[in-house]
Amino acid sequence: MMPIPILKKEQCLVATIEATISDQELLALRDQLVKEVGEEHSAGVILDVTDLDVLDSFSVRILRDMANAIRLCGANTVIVGIQPDVALTMVQQGLKLEGIHTAMDLEDGLAYFDGRNKTAL
Amino acid sequence: MHSHSKEEIKLPENGSADDSTVLRYRSDNELMAELIDFLRKRRMRLCNIWMRKIARENLMSSMTPDEIKKECAAIYENYLATLETGSIQALEFYAQELSARILPLGVGTQEVIAIVLLLRDVMARSLFSHYGKCPQLMKHVLDIYEPAANRIALTVASGFLNEHERIIGEQRRSILELSTPLLPVRNRLVILPIIGVLDSQRVRKLCEQLLTGIKTHRAKVVVADMTGVAEIDAVAANYLNHTIAAARLIGAEIVLTGMTPEVAEPFILLGTDLSSLTMFEDLQSAIDKADELLGRTVVYADESAHRQEDL
């Protein structure tokens, strides 16, 4: 099991989820991200799921748990790059990403945190 | 079935059947040949009776008398030719060509079928008054005339229905193709004008095109203008809700505008969570909202000057 690299960009942590990710790897990523947010005092986490061609109920639940835990650490989560057919399948299966911001791509995700910083200042 | 008729079809007495003619006919083919010959000789007379009936029933009112006369003569000829050869191929072709020509004139399919049935009856009455004196021969005549005449009526009717279906199919295809133009207005803002009836099939296509269009235009806000939507069913409304939610997951916001009460009704009946929708009554305020979502403010050069004065 290869650990998923977590990149740091200014105040944000960025992790890219690959299509081949296993449930165990996703759980490990969740733990690792929550831990790093606490250690680094990051403002936010960006999860790039561009590569995923399916988001099932398990992954959605893990992502929601992760976002909630990260919020408890005082940071926000943005999921970027959900593909159109993945999004439609999720909606049709009743899977929701409540309370998690979504953006089109990494650029928009970073812009989201930039905008938040500006309004905070 | 013709005995109660008040319609008079005068035939020359010398043409009437007598017992000797009964014995002369043995095969159906021979009798059919004579019937066709008989109907062809009385072409002018029967055509006139037929056209009077058409005028009385007020059929083909959108065509001029001359056009009706020409069309009647052509139908009469085709009718006889089909009786003669027994092949409906030529008639099928004629019916198809006729339907393509007169349907755009506003002549309904039922009118054309009524006209063909009138001709069938005019001919049957003429045959009846000619052969009616001898019941045996009359029975034989009807035996061979009726199936042929009914086949002709069926052929014409199905020809017209086929043409109808072809037109509908063609229109449906072109509607599907034209239905979802995504119009980029400003950077990351696109407008989606939806026009026509939204049924489940069309909404599926629309949704597909919209979601991929969001990606290709990298749109952050889509203003969906529903002003032109005449009707929407529950399935389509539900699908549209899904599309809006899916667009949000992709990272784009859909702003709805131009909802009429009729269009809003299916959404209400579905129990749609209205707080999850962004709606405006007109396109202008929707675009203003879109600008706000994009973090832009529109400042008009002269207006800002006025505002300065006001202050």
Side-chain angles (χ1 to χ4, degrees):
Chain A
M1 192 169 97
M2 283 278 288
I4 290 162
I6 298 172
L7 312 175
K8 246 185 97 177
K9 162 95 174 138
E10 289 154 24
Q11 289 286 304
C12 298
L13 297 177
V14 181
T16 303
I17 300 180
E18 296 196 9
T20 52
I21 192 169
S22 68
D23 291 349
Q24 271 71 35
E25 284 170 320
L26 191 61
L27 288 168
L29 177 68
R30 176 191 67 181
D31 298 343
Q32 186 63 27
L33 270 175
V34 175
K35 191 171 145 239
E36 285 201 24
V37 167
E39 286 169 1
E40 309 273 346
H41 303 290
S42 308
V45 173
I46 297 175
L47 279 175
D48 187 356
V49 297
T50 312
D51 214 19
L52 291 186
D53 42 24
V54 68
L55 267 171
D56 57 15
S57 55
F58 178 79
S59 337
V60 168
R61 191 162 58 83
I62 299 302
L63 291 180
R64 262 204 317 252
D65 287 355
M66 190 192 307
N68 285 336
I70 288 169
R71 182 167 309 145
L72 288 174
C73 299
N76 279 293
T77 307
V78 176
I79 295 181
V80 302
I82 299 179
Q83 298 298 331
D85 42 350
V86 176
L88 200 58
T89 314
M90 281 176 66
V91 174
Q92 280 164 349
Q93 290 178 346
L95 302 175
K96 286 175 187 159
L97 290 172
E98 288 139 328
I100 308 180
H101 189 81
T102 50
M104 189 161 293
D105 44 30
L106 196 56
E107 192 186 332
D108 274 8
L110 289 166
Y112 173 74
F113 287 117
D114 271 2
R116 286 176 71 90
N117 283 346
K118 270 175 207 152
T119 46
L121 283 169
Chain B
M1 68 188 256
H2 300 294
S3 54
H4 62 280
S5 158
K6 284 180 189 121
E7 186 75 33
E8 276 185 52
I9 300 170
K10 290 200 186 82
L11 288 168
E13 280 303 311
N14 56 13
S16 297
D18 55 31
D19 285 345
S20 62
T21 52
V22 182
L23 299 172
R24 242 181 34 225
Y25 298 118
R26 295 239 169 76
S27 77
D28 290 356
N29 288 346
E30 270 176 19
L31 184 56
M32 187 51 116
E34 192 190 294
L35 293 187
I36 290 159
D37 191 45
F38 170 82
L39 293 171
R40 186 158 282 149
K41 276 184 188 143
R42 281 158 186 76
R43 191 167 60 115
M44 288 306 286
R45 191 204 307 267
L46 294 183
C47 255
N48 284 335
I49 296 170
W50 182 35
M51 283 192 307
R52 272 207 303 279
K53 281 182 176 242
I54 290 173
R56 200 182 310 149
E57 303 268 338
N58 219 0
L59 294 166
M60 298 220 277
S61 47
S62 57
M63 289 168 78
T64 65
D66 270 357
E67 282 175 328
I68 294 179
K69 199 170 172 183
K70 231 175 74 190
E71 229 37 270
C72 283
I75 295 174
Y76 198 96
E77 274 311 308
N78 273 282
Y79 203 100
L80 281 185
T82 309
L83 283 178
E84 195 165 22
T85 58
S87 143
I88 55 166
Q89 268 172 351
L91 184 70
E92 264 174 354
F93 180 76
Y94 174 73
Q96 195 195 347
E97 184 260 345
L98 179 69
S99 57
R101 193 148 38 89
I102 71 171
L103 281 179
L105 294 177
V107 179
T109 302
Q110 70 273 35
E111 279 185 81
V112 175
I113 296 170
I115 285 163
V116 173
L117 292 179
L118 276 181
L119 177 59
R120 186 194 65 168
D121 295 345
V122 166
M123 284 183 173
R125 280 179 190 195
S126 158
L127 292 173
F128 192 82
S129 62
H130 187 67
Y131 294 100
K133 281 177 190 149
C134 171
Q136 244 182 315
L137 180 58
M138 188 63 216
K139 188 172 166 295
H140 194 186
V141 167
L142 289 180
D143 277 349
I144 63 166
Y145 172 74
E146 278 176 346
N150 287 345
R151 202 163 54 235
I152 291 173
L154 268 177
T155 307
V156 172
S158 60
F160 269 74
L161 289 180
N162 285 343
E163 177 67 11
H164 260 297
E165 268 161 31
R166 195 187 62 77
I167 292 173
I168 291 171
E170 207 169 68
Q171 287 171 342
R172 177 164 298 165
R173 268 194 304 282
S174 54
I175 288 172
L176 275 182
E177 276 163 24
L178 295 171
S179 60
T180 26
L182 271 181
L183 313 172
V185 185
R186 285 170 204 158
N187 189 23
R188 313 212 61 185
L189 167 61
V190 296
I191 290 185
L192 171 77
I194 310 176
I195 290 168
V197 175
L198 271 187
D199 56 16
S200 50
Q201 192 199 352
R202 201 186 143 199
V203 85
R204 202 153 298 201
K205 180 109 178 167
L206 182 143
C207 162
E208 213 174 87
Q209 290 181 343
L210 173 60
L211 293 181
T212 48
I214 287 173
K215 271 281 180 192
T216 50
H217 288 99
R218 218 169 157 263
K220 204 166 179 180
V221 183
V222 179
V223 175
D225 181 18
M226 318 263 288
T227 317
V229 177
E231 203 185 314
I232 183 167
D233 62 24
V235 178
N238 193 34
Y239 212 82
L240 209 56
N241 279 340
H242 284 176
T243 309
I244 292 167
R248 202 165 285 154
L249 286 176
I250 297 174
E253 188 66 32
I254 296 187
V255 179
L256 292 175
T257 172
M259 279 265 202
T260 56
E262 295 81 44
V263 174
E265 199 182 332
F267 286 92
I268 304 304
L269 292 178
L270 275 174
T272 305
D273 177 16
L274 294 180
S275 63
S276 69
L277 302 179
T278 321
M279 287 182 280
F280 288 92
E281 59 168 354
D282 54 24
L283 191 59
Q284 189 184 347
S285 30
I287 291 180
D288 286 348
K289 174 68 182 177
D291 278 330
E292 186 196 317
L293 286 170
L294 288 166
R296 296 201 188 105
T297 7
V298 179
V299 180
Y300 299 96
D302 50 344
E303 221 176 72
S304 65
H306 286 305
R307 210 169 292 154
Q308 295 268 310
E309 282 168 24
D310 289 345
L311 290 169

